[in-house]
Amino acid sequence: MSSHPDRLLIKAITRSPSVYMKIQEQIKQYIASQPEPKRSDMQALHRLILQILPACKLWFFDGKNSENKTVSNPNVGYGFHTIQYADGKTREFYQIGMSANKTGISVYILGIKDKSYLARTFGKTLGKATVSGYCIKFKTLTGINVDVLQAAIRYGAEATSPDLSSGRN
């Protein structure tokens, strides 16, 4: 069973310029492949997240498993944290994620311990969005309060990496 080259990039921890440029190109192509207005919204959201996490590690998942079978929507990840499972195993993963879905865009805010926090804190003021334990789903940026979304993203980034200025997130 051979590994798909993109999965090797995803697992890479290095910030070598060639890997970083490859991931940036995948992100650019993924966003460009979306229909309007989703494309413009995802470009704006990408810029917004990079303003919050300017020195972050970028991730790109094509949504396929090791057998090249689609298991999820492709998604872009920002930042870095270590997930620890109940059995003691750990996994490196992103802090904030973004993905196109059938009806709009999903923003994933990972690593928050209290699964009711996002809905309780941001749900009522966010606008036309569905908020779960770690996902904010909306149709367009014009249907939501972007300042509230930005606050939720910032909260998630700070919750898993308190020292955002260090560039180690």
Side-chain angles (χ1 to χ4, degrees), residues 41 125-130 137-146:
D41 283 352
T125 57
L126 195 51
K128 293 181 182 179
T130 304
K137 188 189 286 190
F138 53 92
K139 186 170 178 148
T140 64
L141 285 176
T142 57
I144 63 166
N145 183 329
V146 176

Side-chain angles (χ1 to χ4, degrees), residues 14-40:
T14 180
R15 283 187 177 223
S16 73
S18 62
V19 171
Y20 186 74
M21 293 304 291
K22 173 80 171 158
I23 292 171
Q24 281 186 318
E25 187 58 33
Q26 289 174 308
I27 293 168
K28 183 178 176 182
Q29 289 175 0
Y30 170 60
I31 293 172
S33 73
Q34 302 304 314
E36 286 295 350
K38 194 180 296 186
R39 178 185 322 132
S40 293

Side-chain angles (χ1 to χ4, degrees), residues 88-158:
K89 291 182 181 176
T90 60
R91 177 180 176 195
E92 295 156 345
F93 209 61
Y94 56 75
Q95 296 165 282
I96 308 297
M98 172 181 68
S99 179
N101 59 53
K102 287 183 182 182
T103 60
I105 300 169
S106 295
V107 173
Y108 307 101
I109 301 176
L110 304 179
I112 298 173
K113 304 259 186 270
D114 179 352
K115 297 301 175 201
S116 66
Y117 184 83
L118 287 178
R120 191 176 66 246
T121 306
F122 304 106
K124 286 185 169 64
T125 57
L126 195 51
K128 293 181 182 179
T130 304
V131 184
S132 71
Y134 65 91
C135 181
I136 298 172
K137 188 189 286 190
F138 53 92
K139 186 170 178 148
T140 64
L141 285 176
T142 57
I144 63 166
N145 183 329
V146 176
D147 291 337
V148 174
L149 178 62
Q150 182 176 3
I153 292 168
R154 187 174 302 283
Y155 170 79
E158 290 172 354

